[in-house]
Amino acid sequence: MKPNRRQIFTVGAAAAAAATVAASTETATATTTSGDSTEFAVTTSSSTGPYGSGVLGSWAGAQRAISTPAQIQHTRAANGVFMFGDSISVQDGKSLAIRLQGRDGSPLAVHNWSSRPTSGAVDALQQWASTYGLPRRILMASGSNDIFDPPKFAAQVARAISIVGQNRTLYWVNIQVVRKSVTSTVQLADQRNSSWLNMQLYDQQEKYPNLKIIRWAEWLWVKPYRLLNYLRDGVHPTVPLGQDARNELIVQSLVS
């Protein structure tokens, strides 16, 4: 069942409040080195941008994890899973591949790129579809970097669905971002924008039954302590606790 908008914003506000408490009791260091998988691409400007979360900086030089052509071709031939993600997936992708392989034998080919918004992930999906063809399961773990410009997200979800087509399943991990390294005002904007992105996913799911949402955000909200214990910076899962929890949600959805 799709959560209604009041539920999303009410629970989202509670999540933001919990994250604010966490930020006040823990020391968080923002990492900006392009080679670090924790990178969250924001300009160094003090501007909070038009939507309160800041402005997305360049992600071209950020850390990435991309399967080789041989790995992609093998995954396609075996009807495994293609994955397109951001820095969370750069961090967690290898562990996910091992978990998925152990569960049902499926190989995983990845195109994960830190700090990348969903438009770039869908561009990569289009490239792989044209070059290799697609397996029956596509996993999108993208959206955290879209908090800086939420109105563009729905069009990218629709574009991904059009590329995948009606005879494949598009799995999408939804979004929970409340960065500990920013002010409480920006944290509230982060949560508001995360909820806005998730509502767009739910709206697209009503149009396209082959879009399956993996509800990471709701899993975190159900028990507020999870926001503290399963996210190390308000975005990226802790390792191994948060990583295992998120990857298990993904695998359960992929193999069900």
Side-chain angles (χ1 to χ4, degrees), residues 30-54:
T31 302
T32 56
T33 304
S34 63
D36 193 318
S37 65
T38 66
E39 180 189 13
F40 210 65
V42 188
T43 60
T44 56
S45 168
S46 61
S47 172
T48 56
Y51 302 103
S53 286

Side-chain angles (χ1 to χ4, degrees), residues 18-109:
T20 301
V21 172
S24 68
T25 58
E26 299 181 16
T27 300
T29 302
T31 302
T32 56
T33 304
S34 63
D36 193 318
S37 65
T38 66
E39 180 189 13
F40 210 65
V42 188
T43 60
T44 56
S45 168
S46 61
S47 172
T48 56
Y51 302 103
S53 286
V55 180
L56 182 65
S58 173
W59 49 272
Q63 186 182 19
R64 69 210 72 168
I66 302 175
S67 298
T68 66
Q71 291 167 335
I72 299 166
Q73 291 165 352
H74 168 70
T75 301
R76 171 66 182 88
N79 206 20
V81 178
F82 281 3
M83 176 187 193
F84 303 86
D86 50 29
S87 60
I88 299 174
S89 300
V90 171
Q91 172 188 284
D92 294 352
K94 182 176 180 180
S95 176
L96 175 63
I98 294 169
R99 185 177 291 260
L100 179 62
Q101 183 83 36
R103 193 66 54 87
D104 76 346
S106 294
L108 179 71

Side-chain angles (χ1 to χ4, degrees), residues 194-209:
S194 297
S195 298
W196 185 358
L197 296 169
N198 288 336
M199 285 193 299
Q200 293 176 67
L201 273 177
Y202 296 129
D203 288 343
Q204 293 294 328
Q205 187 180 47
E206 289 188 344
K207 299 176 185 177
Y208 303 101

